[in-house]
Amino acid sequence: MKRLQKVLIAIAGLAFLGFGLLSSVHGQGGTDAPLIADQPSLPTSSVAIDNFSFSPASITVPVGVTLTWTNRDDIPHTVVSDDQKFKSKALDTDEKFSFTFTEPGTYSYFCSIHPKMVAKVIVEGAK
Amino acid sequence: MSAYIEDDHTEDGINRRGFLKCMAWAGTGAFFVLQGGVVKSFAMSDVNKLSAKELKGELSFVQISDSHVGFNKPANPDVLATLNAAIEKINSLDVPPAFLLHTGDLTHLSKAEEFDTLEQSLKALKTDHIFYVPGEHDVLNDNGQQYRDRFAKGTKGDGWYSFEHSGTHFIGLVNVMNLKAGGLGNLGTDQLEWLEQDVKHVKSSTPIVLFAHIPLWSVYPEWGWGTDDSAQALSYLKRLGSVTVLNGHIHQTMQKVEGKVTFHTAMSTAFPQPAPGSAPSPGPMKVPDDKLRSLLGITDVNQIRGKHSLAIIDSPLAG
């Protein structure tokens, strides 16, 4: 029961994050938010932040995927695209940030606190 | 054998064992005495062993750094205790410092309550005044607005400023803002222009102390331990006779002398970080609890010949 609750809370949290992002970045409200819960079969859609690096440093995902970054370090990091299209707050240990990629392309991003940390997301076109 | 870094003018100019002892206390600061335009540095833990004559300069001040209030991970679950221990050390000095420099990372996450706690702790200092520069941990999420409101009133731009004290010109720089992907610390055009103007009218005989959070020299760029445009900044100081550059950020002591410029980084009051390249990342280094306040070691110390300067090139190691 506890585990189920945790999962539900996690999903709710992700949905909330997705909502916040969509509304702030695209100003569209949260209509796409349930995507994460409904599509467990999507390819790897998470990036770990560990030892001052993004892992994997390059990830290819289909358009529409919501990518979630989790900070595993004892030091805060951020996830900021070079063109500022997405920008997280400072993520403390175990905090997460999600962004839904609605357009194909290559998105270079970095940690604005430790700018040596660079990585990219390649979003492939419509299925 | 004396227990502090000694400029003894012998072959290598440095008392190596004394230096190792200097490295032996984690939650500490560095103590500076300005004598005849030369800034001498001593580890805080050894200052009380110095004679009054050795301590008496034209000016004495203390630098602490990287307090990371709010950090609570295994590398040091109680950063307030070590900060307070550093403050007690400063208060017990025979020669009270004229002021304190804090070279940034006051807090861990730029939270209001972390800044509150830090300010509360620093109230115990007997020292007249504290000068600050921000670390990258102090400007999270708000581009440093809260930091400036609290610690940098009346400063320029992102919080840079200069002041005179006892015939020395002090310059506090901000190199933790607007960092570029793939880059290092950053001063930026506006600050560089200001710096050029600021030092224009400083007499060449006036000693300069330049302080900023991230090292203004290339300590280890692979870990971001350097500042992209620091060479430009230092070029404005070339005609000046004595320049001392004080930084934090790397949580360990290093010193280097280049001509008339002495570079020095301070220890953290919170937790140690690994020597450059000795760990997968520069993250907090966990050492045995009983080693936390006495953990640091050193690999190499050199002196640039012909100058009254110490060059501390290598880094402390986990003990």
Side-chain angles (χ1 to χ4, degrees):
Chain A
M1 179 60 196
K2 268 195 170 169
R3 172 172 285 189
L4 180 63
Q5 271 180 350
K6 269 190 182 170
V7 170
L8 286 173
I9 288 165
I11 289 169
L14 286 171
F16 178 76
L17 269 174
F19 180 90
L21 261 170
L22 285 165
S23 54
S24 63
V25 178
H26 302 297
Q28 293 172 345
T31 48
D32 292 342
L35 192 71
I36 308 158
D38 291 343
Q39 300 191 11
S41 60
L42 279 174
T44 313
S45 57
S46 65
V47 175
I49 307 173
D50 206 355
N51 269 328
F52 285 63
S53 57
F54 297 102
S55 179
S58 176
I59 186 169
T60 303
V61 295
V63 74
V65 153
T66 298
L67 207 52
T68 299
W69 287 261
T70 306
N71 180 18
R72 302 287 184 209
D73 269 345
D74 282 355
I75 289 290
H77 296 293
T78 63
V79 178
V80 180
S81 69
D82 293 6
D83 59 6
Q84 307 276 312
K85 213 166 213 171
F86 53 91
K87 184 176 183 176
S88 78
K89 294 240 171 207
L91 306 175
D92 196 7
T93 308
D94 293 332
E95 284 186 337
K96 294 173 193 296
F97 168 73
S98 295
F99 183 78
T100 303
F101 291 87
T102 56
E103 287 173 32
T106 298
Y107 299 79
S108 296
Y109 66 95
F110 69 115
C111 166
S112 61
I113 309 171
H114 311 99
K116 277 282 169 187
M117 296 169 57
V118 295
K120 63 183 170 185
V121 179
I122 299 162
V123 180
E124 290 183 332
K127 294 150 273 186
Chain B
M1 186 176 273
S2 67
Y4 54 91
I5 302 169
E6 198 173 41
D7 194 0
D8 63 1
H9 305 283
T10 56
E11 176 93 351
D12 70 6
I14 293 154
N15 174 334
R16 193 162 191 279
R17 191 166 136 204
F19 181 75
L20 287 168
K21 283 188 184 174
C22 288
M23 299 292 94
W25 202 74
T28 187
F31 186 81
F32 300 89
V33 182
L34 189 74
Q35 288 172 324
V38 177
V39 177
K40 299 182 174 181
S41 69
F42 306 95
M44 284 283 311
S45 51
D46 294 308
V47 165
N48 288 338
K49 295 169 195 158
L50 301 178
S51 71
K53 186 182 161 223
E54 286 166 316
L55 282 171
K56 196 166 165 55
E58 293 112 53
L59 169 65
S60 304
F61 63 97
V62 169
Q63 176 196 10
I64 62 171
S65 201
D66 297 87
S67 299
H68 284 263
V69 171
F71 180 88
N72 57 9
K73 301 297 188 299
N76 184 358
D78 194 354
V79 297
L80 262 193
T82 46
L83 171 63
N84 290 335
I87 291 168
E88 279 170 33
K89 283 270 174 194
I90 297 166
N91 283 341
S92 64
L93 291 173
D94 286 342
V95 179
F99 55 82
L100 181 79
L101 294 185
H102 197 305
T103 44
D105 282 357
L106 315 170
T107 70
H108 194 57
L109 293 166
S110 306
K111 289 181 179 169
E113 57 268 32
E114 295 173 345
F115 284 118
D116 289 345
T117 304
L118 175 101
E119 288 189 282
Q120 198 56 43
S121 276
L122 288 175
K123 277 182 185 161
L125 265 179
K126 291 178 187 164
T127 303
D128 284 22
H129 201 86
I130 308 172
F131 296 95
Y132 301 88
V133 284
E136 72 278 7
H137 287 257
D138 302 317
V139 298
L140 301 176
N141 303 330
D142 71 347
N143 281 323
Q145 191 58 50
Q146 186 176 203
Y147 166 83
R148 284 190 297 281
D149 289 347
R150 287 173 184 254
F151 303 105
K153 287 202 179 83
T155 61
K156 309 276 197 290
D158 293 326
W160 55 80
Y161 57 99
S162 65
F163 64 93
E164 305 284 331
H165 200 295
S166 308
T168 294
H169 189 69
F170 288 81
I171 305 169
L173 298 181
V174 179
N175 58 357
V176 297
M177 304 282 292
N178 305 310
L179 305 184
K180 309 285 184 298
L184 305 171
N186 174 56
L187 293 162
T189 318
D190 290 353
Q191 189 168 201
L192 286 170
E193 280 172 10
W194 171 84
L195 176 65
E196 186 175 19
Q197 292 304 315
D198 182 72
V199 296
K200 218 164 216 170
H201 304 293
V202 174
K203 281 190 207 154
S204 60
S205 58
T206 301
I208 301 278
V209 173
L210 194 61
F211 58 105
H213 179 66
I214 299 176
L216 291 166
W217 47 297
S218 185
V219 174
Y220 196 63
E222 291 87 340
W223 280 358
W225 290 359
T227 300
D228 277 327
D229 44 8
S230 60
Q232 182 70 33
L234 291 166
S235 73
Y236 303 141
L237 310 176
K238 268 183 182 153
R239 67 180 180 84
L240 300 162
S242 162
V243 178
T244 301
V245 179
L246 305 177
N247 303 120
H249 187 59
I250 66 170
H251 296 221
Q252 59 196 286
T253 303
M254 288 201 198
Q255 190 163 303
K256 183 176 89 151
V257 177
E258 248 182 39
K260 297 164 185 165
V261 185
T262 298
F263 298 88
H264 184 104
T265 63
M267 284 176 271
S268 164
T269 67
F271 54 84
Q273 286 181 188
S278 70
S281 80
M285 184 167 65
K286 171 67 184 156
V287 298
D289 290 348
D290 62 344
K291 289 278 196 287
L292 182 60
R293 296 187 184 201
S294 60
L295 75 170
L296 304 176
I298 188 74
T299 49
D300 196 18
V301 183
N302 292 287
Q303 185 181 41
I304 305 300
R305 283 167 192 275
K307 291 282 170 197
H308 301 274
S309 311
L310 295 177
I312 301 166
I313 291 171
D314 258 317
S315 56
L317 303 169

